[in-house]
């Protein structure tokens, strides 16, 4: 949110009215839904799968837990969670964009795990669930697209049960200026071009690259999680800080 005007926010490097952003983000993910998984593999050279596995390693899902995966898109995190948690676990995948959920439902894992899965269209800033409903809340590469991140974190706190855990996987900032510069050169020159070639959509991938640069660095985001009420907040850098995992508990 822009500090000099609380009614504006960022959409990539653009400043837009808060009321516009959700629709603009919805448009981006509607356009890229059918190529989302392919583009994730290309953009990260497949490393996003390792990051999601690292998320599950730290989370250590257990039988009977109930997961809410926000901005869950095509189901990657929910599938991993259910396979690791085992008996009695349930997962709800929530996404702002119906077409992303449709892609998830098409996957073979969705059919295999159908009895333990729900798919819900909804907004991270106004979750359609009662207080103290879930044991685990995850959001992967989605929180930077939320209009008001503090609102989403407060909603995460609200729907978690006491003893529940928040885990956020998001692109982040490299601690080395030289490495960050090299990564920026790759991101701004290669990823939008890939988007044009693979998804016939350069603009959406230009936005996704810009949105990463606007996201708070690790310590700032950790402070935001604490401000929402979470305790024992910690983070781990992945791939030297290209991405980071943040963890917090509702005590």
């Amino acid at each position: 949110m822009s500090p000099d005007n609380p009614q504006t926010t960022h959409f990539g490097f653009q400043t837009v009215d808060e009321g516009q952003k959700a629709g603009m983000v919805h448009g981006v993910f509607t356009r890229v839904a059918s190529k989302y998984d392919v583009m994730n593999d290309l953009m990260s050279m497949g490393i996003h799968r390792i990051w999601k596995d690292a998320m599950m390693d730290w989370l250590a899902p257990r039988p009977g837990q109930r997961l809410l995966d926000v901005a869950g898109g095509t189901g990657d995190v929910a599938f991993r969670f259910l396979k690791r948690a085992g008996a009695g676990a349930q997962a709800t995948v929530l996404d702002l964009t119906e077409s992303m959920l449709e892609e998830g439902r098409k996957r073979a894992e969705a059919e295999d795990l159908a009895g333990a899965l729900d798919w819900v269209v909804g907004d991270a800033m106004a979750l359609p669930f009662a207080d103290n409903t879930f044991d685990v809340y995850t959001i992967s590469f989605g929180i930077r697209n939320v209009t008001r991140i503090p609102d989403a974190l407060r909603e995460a706190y609200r729907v978690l049960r006491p003893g529940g855990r928040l885990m956020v996987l998001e692109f982040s900032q490299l601690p080395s200026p030289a490495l960050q510069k090299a990564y920026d050169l790759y991101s701004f020159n290669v990823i939008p071009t890939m988007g044009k070639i693979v998804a016939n959509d350069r603009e959406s991938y230009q936005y996704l690259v810009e949105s990463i640069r606007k996201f708070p660095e690790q310590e700032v985001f950790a402070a935001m999680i604490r401000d929402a009420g979470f305790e024992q907040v910690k983070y781990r850098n992945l791939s030297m800080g290209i991405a980071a995992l943040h963890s917090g508990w509702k005590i």
Side-chain angles (χ1 to χ4, degrees), residues 61-153:
R62 299 190 304 277
Q65 285 187 319
R66 188 171 181 191
L67 166 74
L68 174 62
D69 185 36
V70 174
T74 56
D76 257 5
V77 169
F79 299 153
R80 281 173 167 79
F81 177 87
L82 290 172
K83 288 172 182 175
R84 293 214 193 185
Q90 294 282 324
T92 298
V93 180
L94 179 137
D95 203 284
L96 187 66
T97 310
E98 174 67 34
S99 53
M100 290 290 287
L101 297 175
E102 287 173 0
E103 292 299 318
R105 290 190 195 103
K106 293 175 186 175
R107 294 177 61 177
E109 298 101 314
E111 187 171 341
D112 294 341
L113 299 167
L117 268 172
D118 292 313
W119 304 85
V120 177
V121 176
D123 185 343
M125 298 187 298
L127 296 171
F129 308 109
D131 297 357
N132 307 317
T133 298
F134 298 94
D135 302 295
V136 181
Y137 174 114
T138 55
I139 182 166
S140 302
F141 307 119
I143 201 158
R144 73 182 191 279
N145 299 311
V146 173
T147 303
R148 294 186 300 278
I149 293 172
D151 288 6
L153 292 172

Side-chain angles (χ1 to χ4, degrees), residues 41-59:
D41 281 332
L42 288 171
M43 286 191 297
S44 71
M45 294 173 283
I47 296 171
H48 76 99
R49 298 177 187 276
I50 297 171
W51 295 339
K52 288 169 183 170
D53 287 339
M55 183 185 202
M56 289 298 116
D57 290 344
W58 197 9
L59 189 58

